[in-house]
Amino acid sequence: MAATAVGCSGRFKAEALRRPCKPSTSSAYSFSCSYARGLVRLERRERFVRCELGSSVSGSASGVLGQRSDFSSVSALEQLKINSAERYTKERSSIVVIGLSVHTASIEMREKLAIPEPEWPQAIRELCSLNHIEEAAVLSTCNRTEIYVIALSQHRGVKEVTEWMSKKSGLPVSELSKHRFLLYNNDAAEHLFEVSSGLDSLVLGEGQILAQVKQVVKVGQGVVGFGRNISGLFKHAITVGKRVRTETCIASGAVSVSSAAVELAAMKIPEPAEFVSARILVVGAGKMGKLVIKHLAAKGCQKMTVANRNRDKVAAICEELKGVDIIFEPFDHLLACAAQADIIFTCTSSEMPLFLKEEVGSFPQASQVITGTRLFIDISLPRNVDPSIGDSEGAKVYNIDDLKEVVNANKEDRLRKAMEAQIIIADESRRFEEWRDSLETVPTIKKLRAYAERIRLVELEKCLSKLGHDVPKKTKRVVDDLSRGIVNRLLHGPMEHLRCDSGNDRMLSETLQNMHALNRIFGLETDMSFLEEKIRAKVEQSKR
């Protein structure tokens, strides 16, 4: 049972939430049912806590607003009254991941929600402008579009992000809700760690996803909203991905989407001699295209045409694969090249189809080497090939979702390797949770320093007023330094007990106890300055 629980993937947990729990002898299924019931209990408890705290928190927040003339907006005040119990309780914000993947949604849905990399910063800014979202990140690939957020309220945060996704994609909220997966906090972190390790990929163990996770961090640097929690989560995911690939054999013999596409073409032309002699066109010479070319060469294909906008990329591939005859063609010649090809691989970032049914209908018949049927293997998202082309005689169209036929081969061996990786993920999930727990002390440190500084300034002012108006500047500086020194010496002990090595369980537990004790002793939990600052920021943001 322990091994099964450790090996349970993020998508399995998501599926457990959607299907009814029935008695079963399967330990994995029992685990999913108990997990779903646990979440239901947590949601009920959260609603109860919100009801209990709603009136008191709303009243306190309204009191803060009443003292400030620049918070006169009635709509903002009403909005605050409604949401304050969820936004500003003592519970910390939640990590939430909302997404569609190859395991939960069709390619038709995924391509509508796909977010190109240049649009990620704007998407982060839009998400963080939502009322209950503090931080955000976007991971959008050919197999998935996942939105990671730090939400002030789980329920309202999910609602706002889902509505944003609906507006972005044009898909109804009801349709998105049927196919999305939804995970919180440690389950969300574990899911990302599985993704970066290649465990959640269509092709188990594929390595390209780790580079895509790294790109999220690279693009997010300097973007307002890609904050400490989200940045820390993705950086930790990169560490997990590297560790899994170093300490397990999951990457050995693993296939990528590109190699699976080549394998699929080979399966459709079972005779090796016919496959090698087929006329091949590769559209696109980016990362995916380059991998397709390499895998074709490994299969024995020594001649192929590559259509690309940039000649230099194709020249670099030719230099690397000197034994392969690669013919470059500009995009202007794309249709002419496709008309002469038997197998066409498309792997570009084009948002519009490159091949339409009416254009392909005028192509001559493909070579008799492959029985006159032209193969389009489209591994792009959005798709580069109009799927209706497959309805016409003499053409077959395959996309990313059709690669499952290849992926199922040797699946048991890769699953054994995945179990080794899950042990590492469980360990790293605990480390990440400890790191996140250690961040809880940061607001207390700031508030304690601010509390001490207010007292110091009041007492300093009293002292200087007693000394008279003609006190030399040097004396004022000495008295100021003296007051600072006393405060720093007094705070040194408490501050030391609010810092710890997050890898030490005992120290972390003691640190959190110390944090709660200091909050009670100095009344920091009732200090409304931090709350007021968050309210002001959100209201001002909504006005812009």
Side-chain angles (χ1 to χ4, degrees):
M1 176 61 188
T4 306
V6 169
C8 190
S9 69
R11 65 176 181 270
F12 185 79
K13 298 169 188 170
E15 290 165 1
L17 300 180
R18 289 197 298 271
R19 62 188 178 217
C21 292
K22 298 178 181 179
S24 170
T25 56
S26 167
S27 59
Y29 193 80
S30 299
F31 171 79
S32 68
C33 292
S34 62
Y35 177 83
R37 286 193 295 270
L39 277 185
V40 169
R41 286 195 297 271
L42 283 175
E43 288 174 355
R44 287 174 181 167
R45 173 180 171 275
E46 185 184 51
R47 287 197 296 271
F48 173 78
V49 170
R50 289 202 294 267
C51 290
E52 291 293 307
L53 293 177
S55 58
S56 61
V57 178
S58 296
S60 301
S62 300
V64 173
L65 289 176
Q67 300 169 12
R68 310 299 294 236
S69 60
D70 48 354
F71 282 101
S72 57
S73 169
V74 175
S75 61
L77 179 59
E78 289 302 316
Q79 185 179 40
L80 175 62
K81 287 179 179 178
I82 294 169
N83 299 337
S84 59
E86 293 177 336
R87 284 185 183 177
Y88 305 114
T89 63
K90 296 174 187 177
E91 296 295 325
R92 69 179 176 187
S93 301
S94 299
I95 300 175
V96 183
V97 56
I98 306 166
L100 303 176
S101 78
V102 67
H103 307 295
T104 67
S106 66
I107 193 169
E108 288 82 6
M109 287 193 70
R110 298 200 313 274
E111 67 184 356
K112 289 178 182 178
L113 196 59
I115 304 173
E117 186 181 308
E119 296 179 17
W120 291 357
Q122 180 60 28
I124 292 172
R125 286 189 284 269
E126 289 177 6
L127 287 162
C128 290
S129 71
L130 302 175
N131 288 333
H132 295 82
I133 304 303
E134 290 185 301
E135 302 177 25
V138 175
L139 176 61
S140 186
T141 72
C142 58
N143 284 332
R144 68 188 70 250
T145 293
E146 299 178 355
I147 308 296
Y148 291 81
V149 297
I150 300 297
L152 293 166
S153 158
Q154 286 186 1
H155 173 70
R156 292 186 181 275
V158 168
K159 182 176 182 292
E160 290 172 355
V161 173
T162 305
E163 288 172 350
W164 179 87
M165 293 169 73
S166 173
K167 183 179 178 181
K168 190 83 174 173
S169 63
L171 294 167
V173 169
S174 58
E175 190 67 16
L176 278 172
S177 298
K178 289 178 186 176
H179 297 277
R180 74 183 181 193
F181 65 88
L182 185 61
L183 296 168
Y184 301 103
N185 295 317
N186 197 47
D187 295 315
E190 279 190 12
H191 170 74
L192 181 58
F193 298 163
E194 291 172 354
V195 168
S196 66
S197 303
L199 300 190
D200 196 66
S201 298
L202 176 64
V203 182
L204 191 66
E206 67 102 357
Q208 191 175 3
I209 186 63
L210 180 57
Q212 292 163 333
V213 172
K214 289 179 181 178
Q215 196 63 18
V216 172
V217 175
K218 183 178 179 181
V219 172
Q221 295 302 315
V223 178
V224 176
F226 190 76
R228 175 166 52 184
N229 286 276
I230 285 290
S231 173
L233 172 63
F234 273 81
K235 287 176 180 177
H236 204 97
I238 294 169
T239 300
V240 175
K242 289 179 178 177
R243 187 179 166 194
V244 167
R245 281 164 173 75
T246 302
E247 298 180 24
T248 73
C249 300
I250 195 166
S252 63
V255 291
S256 64
V257 170
S258 301
S259 66
V262 174
E263 288 291 339
L264 179 64
M267 289 171 66
K268 301 305 174 184
I269 308 173
E271 290 297 326
E274 293 180 356
F275 179 70
V276 170
S277 61
R279 299 171 297 179
I280 296 173
L281 170 65
V282 180
V283 184
K287 292 179 182 177
M288 299 278 277
K290 182 178 179 180
L291 286 171
V292 167
I293 294 167
K294 284 186 172 183
H295 289 299
L296 285 168
K299 281 284 186 183
C301 300
Q302 298 300 302
K303 184 176 182 179
M304 64 195 77
T305 301
V306 179
N308 195 57
R309 291 187 175 88
N310 188 327
R311 180 188 288 270
D312 293 341
K313 284 189 176 181
V314 179
I317 296 172
C318 291
E319 184 66 24
E320 190 174 340
L321 302 174
K322 293 184 177 178
V324 182
D325 183 8
I326 299 175
I327 302 168
F328 167 76
E329 289 288 350
F331 253 46
D332 294 345
H333 300 170
L334 181 61
L335 292 178
C337 293
Q340 299 302 315
D342 301 319
I343 307 173
I344 301 164
F345 295 90
T346 60
C347 33
T348 79
S349 58
S350 172
E351 296 187 21
M352 300 297 293
L354 301 178
F355 297 101
L356 301 174
K357 186 174 182 179
E358 53 269 25
E359 296 169 338
V360 174
S362 62
F363 285 4
Q365 191 178 41
S367 168
Q368 288 303 313
V369 171
I370 59 169
T371 64
T373 302
R374 181 174 285 103
L375 304 182
F376 288 86
I377 301 181
D378 187 2
I379 55 173
S380 304
L381 194 81
R383 288 171 289 179
N384 290 170
V385 180
D386 181 356
S388 64
I389 290 174
D391 299 333
S392 45
E393 189 176 349
K396 292 289 183 184
V397 178
Y398 301 94
N399 59 46
I400 292 171
D401 289 358
D402 296 312
L403 300 182
K404 292 175 183 176
E405 186 177 346
V406 178
V407 171
N408 288 332
N410 301 321
K411 193 170 185 178
E412 288 186 10
D413 180 53
R414 289 198 298 276
L415 285 174
R416 281 194 294 270
K417 295 174 183 177
M419 291 299 293
E420 299 173 20
Q422 284 288 0
I423 296 171
I424 295 173
I425 289 172
D427 178 49
E428 290 293 346
S429 295
R430 179 184 60 81
R431 290 173 184 267
F432 175 74
E433 190 66 14
E434 289 170 351
W435 172 79
R436 194 158 176 253
D437 283 341
S438 70
L439 294 183
E440 285 192 37
T441 64
V442 174
T444 298
I445 291 172
K446 290 181 178 179
K447 287 189 285 185
L448 183 57
R449 280 206 169 276
Y451 174 81
E453 181 64 10
R454 287 197 297 269
I455 295 174
R456 186 189 75 81
L457 290 174
V458 169
E459 296 304 317
L460 178 63
E461 184 63 29
K462 288 180 183 178
C463 175
L464 293 176
S465 65
K466 289 179 181 179
L467 292 174
H469 298 291
D470 55 348
V471 180
K473 288 184 178 180
K474 183 177 180 181
T475 302
K476 288 183 179 180
R477 190 163 53 249
V478 169
V479 175
D480 185 67
D481 290 343
L482 174 64
S483 64
R484 289 181 188 277
I486 292 171
V487 168
N488 288 338
R489 290 294 295 272
L490 287 173
L491 289 181
H492 177 72
M495 292 300 180
E496 284 298 307
H497 284 82
L498 287 176
R499 298 187 178 97
C500 73
D501 174 11
S502 63
N504 187 313
D505 291 337
R506 182 188 62 78
M507 286 185 64
L508 179 61
S509 176
E510 289 180 0
T511 299
L512 295 177
Q513 289 176 12
N514 293 334
M515 179 192 72
H516 295 306
L518 286 169
N519 277 326
R520 289 194 303 272
I521 292 168
F522 292 100
L524 302 177
E525 291 178 338
T526 59
D527 182 1
M528 298 301 295
S529 59
F530 183 68
L531 165 61
E532 185 179 355
E533 183 181 335
K534 294 185 79 172
I535 296 171
R536 176 187 288 275
K538 273 294 179 183
V539 173
E540 288 299 320
Q541 188 180 57
S542 66
K543 287 180 180 178
R544 286 197 291 271

